[in-house]
Amino acid sequence: VSYTWSPYRFLKKYRNICYLIAVGMDGISCLILPFLWSFPLLVPFSVMFGYFDGAYVALIPVVTADVVGTACLSSALGVVFFLHSIPYLLSPPIAGWLVDTTGSYTAAFLLSGFSMIFCSALLCLSRLVKKMKKTPRTLSATNIDPKLQIWTNGAVVNSIIEEWEQKDT
């Protein structure tokens, strides 16, 4: 409740970041699990894993609504939950094979943790790319055709034109 209520009320601009943190912390908690050997150490793990797992599951509809809008929310949630079902279907046989092969659960928990951290990093990277695309680019001081500059990102064209101008003078 606290992790989903506060991003909705106070951190509305940062709901995607809250989702990334929840997925990443869930992955970190999976990475820590193989090193916990006693009950007093497993209690904080259970609290942390349960909190962040519940947070990222509860934020799925919120983040999906932010991305696609409310008009297409029902279809988008269907696709999102379908895509979530694929790892839920494939993970138990893979984890069972890892346990049979290695003789311990460590590899299964490490694979789970690293995959969640990788997904969080991938989502963070896509967010950065989206933010970079939104940043307006300014045209250089020379009058270059804007279509040509957008096509080549301006860097190559600017250097070639500057070389031509230097040769002409």
Side-chain angles (χ1 to χ4, degrees):
V1 171
S2 65
Y3 203 85
T4 56
W5 183 73
S6 62
Y8 181 73
R9 299 287 280 167
F10 305 112
L11 303 172
K12 192 170 187 173
K13 292 181 357 184
Y14 305 107
R15 286 190 272 202
N16 290 333
I17 294 171
C18 291
Y19 182 77
L20 293 174
I21 291 170
V23 173
M25 291 301 291
D26 210 16
I28 289 172
S29 65
C30 284
L31 290 178
I32 294 171
L33 183 60
F35 305 108
L36 306 176
W37 293 97
S38 66
F39 182 75
L41 293 175
L42 286 172
V43 171
F45 160 78
S46 299
V47 170
M48 184 172 134
F49 182 78
Y51 182 74
F52 287 111
D53 190 55
Y56 101 82
V57 169
L59 283 173
I60 288 172
V62 176
V63 172
T64 305
D66 287 345
V67 172
V68 299
T70 56
C72 301
L73 183 60
S74 60
S75 298
L77 277 176
V79 170
V80 166
F81 286 130
F82 170 73
L83 292 174
H84 271 88
S85 70
I86 294 170
Y88 292 151
L89 180 68
L90 296 178
S91 296
I94 293 172
W97 176 78
L98 284 171
V99 170
D100 290 343
T101 305
T102 62
S104 77
Y105 288 93
T106 303
F109 286 120
L110 292 178
L111 177 64
S112 175
F114 281 126
S115 65
M116 292 188 81
I117 290 172
F118 174 74
C119 290
S120 181
L122 195 63
L123 287 170
C124 185
L125 182 66
S126 69
R127 184 171 167 82
L128 289 174
V129 167
K130 185 178 178 182
K131 188 177 266 191
M132 287 173 53
K133 284 186 177 183
K134 279 187 178 180
T135 307
R137 294 191 178 117
T138 58
L139 294 175
S140 63
T142 59
N143 291 330
I144 301 172
D145 183 21
K147 291 180 183 176
L148 186 61
Q149 185 174 15
I150 291 171
W151 180 69
T152 62
N153 197 13
V156 176
V157 174
N158 286 340
S159 63
I160 293 173
I161 289 177
E162 288 173 3
E163 287 179 20
W164 286 345
E165 288 176 353
Q166 288 176 359
K167 287 180 183 178
D168 291 339
T169 57

